[in-house]
Amino acid sequence: MTEASGKKAVTELALFGRPPLFAEPLHVGRSTLGNRGRLLERINEILDRRWFTNNGPCVNELERRLEGLLGAQHVIATCNGTVALELAIRACGLQGEVIVPAFTFVATAHALQWQGIRPVFCDIDERTFTLDPRSIERAITPQTTGIIGVHLWGRPCDVEGLEAVARAHGLTLLFDAAHAFGGSHRGRPIGTFGRAEVFSFHATKFVSTFEGGAVATNDAQLAAQIRLMKNFGFAGYDDVVYVGTNGKMSEISAAMGLTSLESMGEFLDANRRNHRAYREALAGVPGLHLLESGDGSNAQYAIVDVESESLGMSRDDLQQVLWAENVLARRYFYPGCHRMEPYRSLLPPERWHLPVTERVAARVLSLPTGATVTLDDVRQVCELVRFAVRHASDIRVRLGASVAAVGAHPPAVLRGRNGS
Ligand code: T4K
């Protein structure tokens, strides 16, 4: 009998040399587009104006729209999310040591290290997978100047818990909201918490400007300083008043952002639809638990927590099965920043006390979703997962044999970068 995944037997898995289930790769973070015609119109207007960057009309319009959407008094658009983080960190005067989760995209830590600030890695909460306020207290030293919470996968941090610790120790609180655009916490939009919040509008994000980011803040002085800093410190023609960098967003990026914003509702519907479909189709698979995206999230990520003993196969073996079939599930954010350079050389990873981070980094897998992933794609991915789980022991044996034969694990297709 042919199984629903189209595979009759384990030997028909692409992992063992047969054609993949999907002819084209199914991605996590496939770019969305919005209305192509409207984008091209905007680009034509930009070409006619011959004003391509340096705070042009599209960037201004985007910033004002973002302020309206977020309810933040000031939004400063930037060339990407990493530079937005660097600017916010610098403008807040952070130095010495800053507390961050290790379980995040490496840009959170790099934005500090890049300017000579030491990221101090703290653990995440068992339930939310975001920075655990209880783990912070013991990491605070006289050198600590701030805390950066990360709304991981768009799920809001324990904002109140982090605020309480920051207040008690006189620390600046920032949020890396790279994943959280369009989200909210207790009814209030993400973008208005802490001293500032930082978004990414990278091509893989919920709302995209190709490359881009923004800082949102209600602090007028901070906003003014970030505006200066992102434009070389120019306060006017020939007048530089501050050390600065080039953190400006281009007009074409802003045009994409405006167009992307107009389709945000559709993107959200698609993400939620896929999330529901994953939840229903994976219900009852022992050892596989789809994390709730939560009402206040843009549902951009569909994350499964893989408990390998109940599942009968490891998270990484499951990922290998999926990748071979062109389902490019990602291990975001394995292995944790503390196990990446330069951090692992600066302090051996074992010296950090990060038990939850270690456990979670070894278990989670991000499944393809987004507006380009159809319900039928989700159905097929889930049938494939169920097929793999049903045949877990056979797959394990065959994988073991092929590893013994070639002496390599994982296969070349999986030897990627950041959490692939
Ligand atoms: N803080 C956090 C918590 C972050 O997650 C990020 C970025 C930042 C800060 C920094 O923000 P930015 O400076 O990037 O604005 C991707 C993104 O490049 C990165 O923006 C994102 N986080 C991270 C989570 O994901 P990679 O290296 O995993 O991307 P890559 O090239 O493997 O692409 C992922 C998938 O997306 C691919 O399978 C295909 C698809 N894709 C990719 C691109 C570039 C597309 O469909 N179209 C595209 O144009 O980092």
Side-chain angles (χ1 to χ4, degrees), residues 161-225:
L162 295 178
E163 276 172 351
V165 181
R167 209 178 308 113
H169 295 272
L171 303 174
T172 298
L173 179 62
L174 294 175
F175 288 101
D176 178 339
H179 305 167
F181 184 76
S184 61
H185 172 64
R186 300 194 172 169
R188 191 170 133 194
I190 299 289
T192 54
F193 296 101
R195 183 123 190 253
E197 299 209 63
V198 171
F199 294 100
S200 166
F201 298 126
H202 182 261
T204 53
K205 294 294 188 293
F206 176 58
V207 162
S208 157
T209 59
F210 302 130
E211 285 277 2
V215 183
T217 180
N218 285 334
D219 181 330
Q221 216 180 333
L222 185 70
Q225 201 169 357

Side-chain angles (χ1 to χ4, degrees), residues 27-31 81-82 176 179 200 202 205 330 332 418:
H27 292 281
V28 171
R30 188 72 170 152
S31 296
T82 305
D176 178 339
H179 305 167
S200 166
H202 182 261
K205 294 294 188 293
R330 298 290 293 263
Y332 285 144
N418 35 317

Side-chain angles (χ1 to χ4, degrees), residues 102-103 123-124 315 334-336 338-339 349-363:
F103 195 61
D123 213 359
I124 50 174
R315 182 269 313 263
Y334 173 85
H338 63 306
R339 292 187 176 277
E350 303 69 37
R351 297 271 299 278
W352 297 103
H353 180 66
L354 304 168
V356 184
T357 299
E358 302 288 7
R359 198 165 59 247
V360 171
R363 287 170 56 136

Side-chain angles (χ1 to χ4, degrees), residues 59 156 268 296 392:
V59 166
L268 184 62

